[in-house]
Amino acid sequence: MSQPLDPVVLLEYPHNGVAVVRISRPEAKNALNASVRHQLAEHFRALARRDDIRAVVLTGGEQFFVAGADIKEFASASPIEMYGRHTELLWDPIARCPKPVIAAVNGFALGGGCELAMHCDIIVAGESARFGQPEVKLGLMPGAGGTQRLIRAVGKFQAMRIALTGCMVKAPEALAIGMVSEVVPDDQTLSRALALASEIAALPPLAVQQIKEVMLAGADLPLDSALTLERKAFQLLFDSADQKEGAAAFFEKRKPTYRGE
Ligand code: CO8
């Protein structure tokens, strides 16, 4: 796929099986304008189809992740204009990416930026990172999953406090309430996210993808249905060459070679 003329989202391939999607719009603290959203969606659609990519790291700058939706683009919009933008079609490729997505967050992840991080499967935060849903201070509310993903991640009482006050949550507190996976020194955020991505990329991709799919889909189902879904996916994996290879390597006391088949 050809790179757009004015790329504000960059693609890099630092390690085998790992892609880095980097938002680069520093003049607006990486605020999500139409170009950023479209390029993000385009990259995620393309990465989903690539068999050689087994894990994705999503990051921003060293000083900031994403300061939210671009306020200039919606400050005077009408409801019908907002509806007609169908931004859900641009979030979907991120939410539905079959490969694990790890957010590496330094600095601000606010509003749509916090929602973007919560689209990911693992969040590594630098110790100075700040998360928040400040939309209420603009007379708005989260509109890309912030009310729903946050309450599912941290429970009612923390989610209500965060969304109703628009406060900023510092990384150590975010870790304590389950809003992020790990906190590391700021200069190690990307390297830690890359290390996790490489670790996952070396594992059997069909098993990895089934785990992600079942955990996300099952979380919104009644327990019985979710357990059935889990059982079916578990059984399906017995048809994979990688499952046979994993068992054979265990008994032969050697390192397995996984081919994603
Ligand atoms: N949109 C547009 N421009 C922005 C944004 C933004 N969200 N954030 C920062 N900028 C711009 C500033 O206007 C400024 O531009 P300029 O230099 O031309 O004046 C530049 O970035 C630098 O910003 P600051 O000077 O403010 O930098 P500071 O370091 O002082 O502060 C902050 C950084 C704290 C991040 C501050 O910029 C800020 O509070 N930004 C707004 C945060 C916010 O309210 N985010 C939520 C936006 S609403 C939202 O995300 C709704 C999501 C709904 C989902 C989508 C549905 C369509």
Side-chain angles (χ1 to χ4, degrees):
M1 179 167 297
S2 60
Q3 284 279 355
L5 285 178
D6 183 18
V8 281
V9 183
L10 312 171
L11 257 189
E12 298 154 18
Y13 302 99
H15 300 177
N16 255 357
V18 175
V20 173
V21 177
R22 185 190 295 276
I23 302 170
S24 178
R25 200 186 161 224
E27 70 282 5
K29 305 268 177 201
N30 285 347
L32 302 171
N33 66 358
S35 299
V36 175
R37 288 163 196 268
H38 280 276
Q39 289 177 32
L40 271 175
E42 198 173 303
H43 287 319
F44 272 92
R45 268 188 227 109
L47 291 170
R49 290 193 295 263
R50 284 185 53 168
D51 288 341
D52 60 326
I53 297 301
R54 297 182 174 183
V56 178
V57 171
L58 174 62
T59 194
E62 283 170 18
Q63 307 299 325
F64 40 84
F65 182 67
V66 168
D70 191 311
I71 297 169
K72 289 187 193 109
E73 284 193 350
F74 64 71
S76 57
S78 73
I80 296 299
E81 274 168 42
M82 291 302 284
Y83 171 75
R85 289 181 191 178
H86 287 296
T87 50
E88 70 280 5
L89 299 179
L90 302 175
W91 290 100
D92 260 13
I94 308 171
R96 294 181 190 283
C97 179
K99 337 261 163 133
V101 183
I102 301 166
V105 178
N106 272 357
F108 295 109
L110 301 177
C114 189
E115 291 171 309
L116 181 62
M118 289 193 290
H119 274 66
C120 300
D121 305 305
I122 296 174
I123 302 177
V124 178
E127 58 199 354
S128 316
R130 302 276 184 280
F131 297 82
Q133 298 290 161
E135 291 90 341
V136 67
K137 295 182 175 172
L138 297 169
L140 275 174
M141 60 178 286
T147 58
Q148 301 310 307
R149 288 198 174 88
L150 188 59
I151 204 164
R152 283 163 172 73
V154 303
K156 174 181 173 184
F157 298 106
Q158 294 293 354
M160 287 289 185
R161 180 178 64 88
I162 293 165
L164 291 176
T165 66
C167 65
M168 287 209 202
V169 180
K170 296 178 179 173
E173 186 195 344
L175 181 65
I177 64 176
M179 207 171 164
V180 303
S181 315
E182 290 185 17
V183 175
V184 297
D186 289 332
D187 60 356
Q188 291 169 30
T189 314
L190 184 59
S191 58
R192 176 60 187 148
L194 285 171
L196 282 168
S198 293
E199 188 180 336
I200 292 168
L203 294 168
L206 291 173
V208 164
Q209 291 180 27
Q210 286 295 299
I211 290 169
K212 170 169 174 167
E213 192 176 350
V214 168
M215 286 183 99
L216 289 178
D220 292 329
L221 292 174
L223 182 61
D224 262 1
S225 311
L227 291 174
T228 303
L229 183 67
E230 179 192 79
R231 240 178 1 258
K232 296 295 161 197
F234 172 75
Q235 292 155 1
L236 180 71
L237 288 172
F238 284 83
D239 199 38
S240 72
D242 283 347
Q243 181 270 323
K244 308 291 178 258
E245 166 66 3
F250 175 79
F251 289 120
E252 292 161 20
K253 301 189 189 303
R254 62 173 171 81
K255 208 169 169 255
T257 305
Y258 293 122
R259 300 198 312 272
E261 293 168 2

